[in-house]
Amino acid sequence: IRLSPLQEDLLKTVEVQRLSFIHQLGTTFQSYPGAHCMRLSHALGVSSLAGRIGRAVIPDPSGEGAGIDLLEAAGMLHDIGHTPWSHTLEPLFLELSGIDHMDLVEGLICGSARMGIPGSGRIPGILESHGVDPVDVASLIRSGYRGPRYMQQIIFGEVDADMLDYLQRDFHFTGVAYGHIEVDRIISTMALAEGELVFQDKALDAVRDFLLARLQMYSSVYLHKKTRIVDQMLLRAARRSIVELGEIECFHEQTDDEILSFLVKG
């Protein structure tokens, strides 16, 4: 992946670097031993794919205000609010704060929230220095963007940069057999029609295979019974320590290993 100046600056922030220590698939490695990929690689992948799609469909992607930096920033930052162990412990954050990780993402991007990690809080300034409005980035991630519809669809739509990346990545690291997605084919057949992101007729087979693969991943990997059991064990142990006993403050800023080490010692 060739990084733009904006991507490189965002990659150096502590909020993004923290994703190096958050498992993309939570406790799924208990069922699929190879599933140890981290969310940082996913963030890089989504950012790269969002830029590729933008360059493929936007008539003048190099023009002023074309939005490539905006797309790549949204892809890089969309997961920075994840709790340790990804979605597994998110219910505790919602229970304690009344907001979900997407609310925290918005706050971190716009500057209304800040992690208690040395060096945090630089993201809004970096975006502004590259001519990108933090509010636009946050609204894309929250699916509330008021600009062109296709911009929103590239980040979060029926076939978007997020899903195109995580399905490929999850297929690879779990080793499941039905994971071939023709990403190049899908992107090359994307087009704009009346401000919407659409696909040419010749993309039918590739898009259909993509949607079927996503369905198969839910039934075979994401909702695997062993993973769900381990998730519940971790969630109950963490709830006891974090919610009932109040032993860990700001747990949502920690990494997977920090939480697990504390629970094991306890």
Side-chain angles (χ1 to χ4, degrees):
I1 293 175
R2 186 181 297 276
L3 298 177
S4 69
L6 173 57
Q7 287 173 310
E8 187 170 358
D9 286 346
L10 290 175
L11 182 60
K12 294 175 182 177
T13 63
V14 295
E15 293 89 347
V16 173
Q17 283 297 314
R18 174 179 166 272
L19 299 178
S20 296
F21 309 99
I22 306 294
H23 279 81
Q24 168 75 11
L25 289 170
T27 65
T28 299
F29 64 86
Q30 296 286 344
S31 306
Y32 296 90
H36 278 284
C37 52
M38 298 298 178
R39 283 203 171 264
L40 178 61
S41 57
H42 171 59
L44 283 166
V46 176
S47 183
S48 176
L49 283 175
R52 281 183 59 192
I53 295 171
R55 293 182 183 91
V57 301
I58 296 175
D60 183 14
S62 61
E64 184 176 352
I68 301 300
D69 279 347
L70 173 58
L71 290 170
E72 291 179 339
M76 183 76 76
L77 300 174
H78 78 284
D79 272 349
I80 58 173
H82 260 298
T83 56
W85 295 101
S86 291
H87 295 286
T88 304
L89 299 186
E90 186 172 355
L92 300 185
F93 182 60
L94 181 61
E95 186 176 336
L96 289 170
S97 66
I99 61 175
D100 63 19
H101 84 276
M102 296 301 286
D103 295 309
L104 179 58
V105 169
E106 181 177 14
L108 293 172
I109 291 173
C110 295
S112 60
R114 183 171 181 170
M115 289 186 171
I117 304 173
S120 66
R122 297 176 52 239
I123 289 175
I126 290 174
L127 293 172
E128 291 170 351
S129 70
H130 288 274
V132 177
D133 187 348
V135 174
D136 285 344
V137 177
S139 63
L140 266 182
I141 294 172
R142 296 299 306 272
S143 298
Y145 186 62
R146 297 183 180 275
R149 170 67 179 158
Y150 63 81
M151 294 285 285
Q152 185 66 79
Q153 291 174 297
I154 291 172
I155 297 299
F156 288 128
E158 290 77 12
V159 181
D160 57 35
D162 183 42
M163 285 187 284
L164 284 172
D165 182 82
Y166 78 66
L167 284 176
Q168 286 187 97
R169 196 172 301 282
D170 296 350
F171 285 138
H172 175 77
F173 283 99
T174 57
V176 294
Y178 43 75
H180 182 64
I181 298 175
E182 297 183 88
V183 174
D184 292 338
R185 175 72 167 173
I186 290 174
I187 294 177
S188 69
T189 55
M190 288 179 173
L192 299 182
E194 299 180 357
E196 297 271 343
L197 186 66
V198 299
F199 296 89
Q200 301 174 37
D201 289 341
K202 60 185 179 181
L204 177 60
D205 289 340
V207 172
R208 180 191 59 197
D209 290 345
F210 166 82
L211 295 174
L212 287 174
R214 183 177 64 176
L215 180 63
Q216 289 174 314
M217 281 297 286
Y218 273 94
S219 61
S220 299
V221 176
Y222 303 143
L223 299 178
H224 192 287
K225 66 178 183 179
K226 181 188 287 187
T227 300
R228 296 180 70 185
I229 290 169
V230 175
D231 281 348
Q232 285 301 309
M233 293 171 63
L234 177 58
L235 179 60
R236 292 182 185 187
R239 173 173 280 113
R240 172 67 174 164
S241 177
I242 296 168
V243 178
E244 298 176 12
L245 300 178
E247 295 176 326
I248 307 176
E249 294 183 2
C250 299
F251 86 97
H252 61 281
E253 299 178 357
Q254 296 189 341
T255 64
D256 293 358
D257 289 342
E258 286 177 315
I259 286 287
L260 201 58
S261 296
F262 184 89
L263 294 177
V264 170
K265 290 178 182 178

